[in-house]
């Protein structure tokens, strides 16, 4: 949860914070609710699918890394955004497994 709040804060300097801050805050809230065991597994499964589809759709046609400056090519920013969504998807899979364990 704290990692996603940090991700959201870092996005405040991004050219499109109105997209990425809510995305990362949503992941943080879902992680917090998993910690409190307040949601059902299907919510995390749905979030996993949505984040996963977003990561797939944002993946650049040609991967050029993530370490170069964003001014070099838009593909670098796309790769970073895609990997961020992939991290969100993996966290949702973990939350799903936690709910599975607690409700079994």
């Amino acid at each position: 949860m704290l990692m996603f709040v940090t991700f959201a804060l870092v996005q405040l300097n991004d050219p499109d914070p109105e997209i990425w801050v809510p995305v990362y805050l949503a992941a943080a809230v879902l992680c917090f609710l998993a910690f409190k065991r307040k949601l059902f597994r299907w919510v995390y499964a749905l979030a996993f699918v949505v984040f996963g589809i977003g990561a797939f759709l944002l993946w650049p046609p040609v991967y050029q890394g993530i370490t170069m400056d964003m001014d070099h090519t838009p593909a670098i920013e796309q790769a970073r955004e895609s990997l961020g969504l992939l991290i969100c998807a993996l966290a949702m899979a973990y939350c799903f497994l936690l709910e599975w364990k607690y409700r079994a």
Side-chain angles (χ1 to χ4, degrees):
M1 177 189 81
L2 295 176
M3 175 182 67
F4 291 124
V5 170
T6 303
F7 284 4
L9 290 174
V10 171
Q11 293 301 315
L12 292 174
N13 290 338
D14 203 57
D16 49 1
E18 64 279 355
I19 297 171
W20 296 105
V21 170
V23 166
Y24 290 126
L25 288 180
V29 167
L30 288 171
C31 288
F32 177 75
L33 292 173
F35 173 72
K36 291 291 191 177
R37 297 176 18 205
K38 297 287 184 186
L39 290 178
F40 296 105
R41 290 182 293 238
W42 67 268
V43 175
Y44 300 108
L46 178 63
F48 170 78
V49 169
V50 170
F51 286 133
I53 289 172
F56 177 77
L57 293 176
L58 279 177
W59 190 256
V62 177
Y63 179 73
Q64 297 176 342
I66 58 171
T67 59
M68 288 187 276
D69 188 17
M70 288 187 310
D71 296 333
H72 185 69
T73 176
I76 294 168
E77 179 67 9
Q78 286 178 319
R80 289 177 182 171
E81 291 170 347
S82 181
L83 290 174
L85 288 175
L86 182 61
I87 292 169
C88 291
L90 293 174
M92 294 305 106
Y94 180 72
C95 291
F96 176 86
L97 293 174
L98 282 179
E99 280 300 308
W100 190 284
K101 176 185 168 187
Y102 289 132
R103 299 204 189 250

